Amino acid sequence: MENKRKQVLSAIQPTGVLHFGRYFGAISNWVRLQQEYDCIYGVVDYHAMTMPFNPKKLREQSWDLIINLIAAGIKPENLFVQSLIPEHAELCWIFNCFTSYGQLSRMTQFKDKSKQNQENAEDAFISAGLLDYPVLQAADILIYRADYVPVGKDQEQHLELSRNIAQRFNAQVGKEYFVLPEPLWAEIPKVMSTAEPTRKMSASLGEKHNIDLFADEARIRKQIASAVTDTGPAQEGVMSAGVENLFALLRAAGRMEAHEALMENYRSGTLKYVDLKEAVAEGLVAISNPARARRAELLSDKKAVKEQVKASSARIREQARQTVREVKELCGLMNV
Ligand code: TRP
């Protein structure tokens, strides 16, 4: 048996800023996995069309995210843009015919997002694309025969669907063609908004609710200095959500020594919030500063980055083409 490295695949939508919640929740893990596995990471712009979107901005958002991902440590050769590989959409169509309509309409993310659309607009438009979103995701994963998919728990149902599609396909064509992908749950720190620590850090909540990975040092320090620590009347022996979040950020930033010392102070009732905030700010700035410098460098020659990622997409596309060719053979479709 050849000693082939396992294939990892994950993807991210080109929306919003790359804040520390997204960085610690997904991207820093993607960066680490590159050492151990063959990794492919997609910027999934076809997926971004399933919710209201701005056609004038979509392409720029995709390039921005690509630059941000590379600045954060993703190797450009591991990156692809989904719309540069139309085979994803072709495989999605084929998979539609192996997917139960009932299962799709029961997906919690579909129900949540449909509701969101209805709340945001009177003439709510819920596209068939939104319903079909998880099938396109299954195509993203299976087209590269991914062994592992690093995702958050919110994607559990989608991954299960990918496995169901693979099984149904394999059963129907009478061949164990697709690998059943396994989730790769990382230890994902739950990063909350520093302004409202009972809510998840997110771009859609507004500026003060997220800390941009590339924000300048002064802004990061200011945001942490003004982080909410006391939320309502303190309960004996229960850490407030704000303080808990600051400790979580400290751990996520890898500041274990400071974490231990400050936790000791907390336990003995001598913790000063300024010290905790100072340590968190140090941890974030140590990650942010080099990333911001790399980003500035990449932005100074944006054209080169675009060329590089177009080339890596073209190379990755060869794998996708091969899979679709084989799938068409197995389904009795025609290949040119
Ligand atoms: N649905 C994923 C999310 O919202 C994004 C995604 C699209 C994805 N295709 C994928 C994740 C394939 C993993 C694998 O986070």
Side-chain angles (χ1 to χ4, degrees):
M1 182 93 192
E2 62 180 318
N3 197 8
K4 200 178 167 297
R5 297 220 295 182
K6 295 278 189 188
Q7 181 68 56
V8 161
L9 176 124
S10 200
I12 184 168
Q13 287 198 46
T15 46
V17 295
L18 185 45
H19 54 70
F20 274 99
R22 250 175 153 187
Y23 176 75
F24 289 136
I27 309 307
S28 63
N29 187 40
W30 288 12
V31 171
R32 265 194 308 275
L33 291 169
Q34 294 179 124
Q35 298 168 6
E36 207 180 320
Y37 300 104
D38 283 338
C39 295
I40 300 179
Y41 299 124
V43 170
V44 287
D45 49 356
Y46 283 139
H47 275 112
M49 301 172 73
T50 58
M51 286 293 268
F53 74 105
N54 183 340
K56 289 201 180 78
K57 287 195 181 147
L58 181 57
R59 189 177 303 132
E60 225 24 66
Q61 282 173 328
S62 298
W63 286 126
D64 281 351
L65 179 60
I66 282 169
I67 285 174
N68 290 347
L69 290 173
I70 299 172
I74 302 294
K75 296 181 187 163
E77 62 268 29
N78 291 342
L79 276 176
F80 74 85
V81 182
Q82 193 184 32
S83 60
L84 287 175
I85 310 184
E87 284 75 13
H88 286 239
E90 189 175 359
L91 188 59
C92 175
W93 173 259
I94 295 172
F95 282 172
N96 278 331
C97 306
F98 291 87
T99 306
S100 141
Y101 168 77
Q103 192 177 3
L104 279 188
S105 59
R106 284 192 299 274
M107 290 278 154
T108 40
Q109 199 168 78
F110 172 66
K111 289 195 269 187
D112 289 349
K113 288 191 177 178
S114 319
K115 213 170 109 207
Q116 207 177 313
N117 268 0
Q118 261 149 357
E119 281 163 4
N120 290 344
E122 280 183 14
D123 54 343
F125 175 71
I126 295 161
S127 72
L130 186 63
L131 178 72
D132 209 31
Y133 179 115
V135 183
L136 182 58
Q137 181 165 349
D140 295 341
I141 296 168
L142 299 175
I143 208 165
Y144 303 113
R145 323 286 181 82
D147 298 293
Y148 298 126
V149 185
V151 279
K153 278 277 176 193
D154 63 325
Q155 295 297 312
E156 196 165 11
Q157 247 186 349
H158 288 171
L159 208 72
E160 194 50 38
L161 180 80
S162 299
R163 295 168 59 86
N164 295 154
I165 291 174
Q167 279 165 324
R168 201 170 295 120
F169 182 93
N170 290 349
Q172 189 147 341
V173 304
K175 187 177 175 185
E176 291 304 305
Y177 180 72
F178 282 115
V179 180
L180 300 191
E182 301 276 351
L184 203 60
W185 312 126
E187 254 189 67
I188 292 176
K190 235 172 126 191
V191 176
M192 313 301 277
S193 155
T194 47
E196 209 180 325
T198 49
R199 303 173 79 177
K200 221 172 109 181
M201 184 179 284
S202 125
S204 55
L205 287 179
E207 248 184 45
K208 64 174 184 175
H209 291 280
N210 69 81
I211 305 174
D212 190 333
L213 176 62
F214 305 103
D216 62 46
E217 189 170 334
R219 183 172 164 82
I220 293 179
R221 289 188 188 278
K222 199 166 151 226
Q223 274 185 288
I224 295 297
S226 60
V228 171
T229 45
D230 291 311
T231 33
Q235 221 182 315
E236 192 69 37
V238 178
M239 194 183 270
S240 77
V243 175
E244 197 177 308
N245 190 37
L246 289 169
F247 274 112
L249 283 167
L250 205 52
R251 280 194 301 277
R255 299 278 160 144
M256 299 321 283
E257 262 176 49
H259 184 276
E260 209 169 301
L262 290 159
M263 193 57 100
E264 196 48 52
N265 292 351
Y266 173 80
R267 286 202 196 95
S268 62
T270 59
L271 176 69
K272 290 204 201 78
Y273 291 153
V274 280
D275 294 341
L276 175 59
K277 287 176 171 179
E278 177 68 29
V280 171
E282 281 306 315
L284 298 189
V285 161
I287 295 168
S288 176
N289 279 350
R292 191 171 53 255
R294 277 195 299 273
R295 183 166 182 268
E297 215 173 287
L298 293 163
L299 283 173
S300 73
D301 196 354
K302 225 170 156 176
K303 210 171 142 219
V305 178
K306 290 183 180 181
E307 288 310 315
Q308 205 174 6
V309 172
K310 280 183 186 167
S312 63
S313 300
R315 190 178 40 73
I316 290 168
R317 184 178 183 188
E318 284 311 312
Q319 273 187 68
R321 272 209 173 110
Q322 181 62 27
T323 300
V324 169
R325 218 176 279 135
E326 290 166 6
V327 164
K328 288 174 87 176
E329 284 299 324
L330 288 167
C331 289
L333 293 163
M334 307 218 184
N335 274 307
V336 283

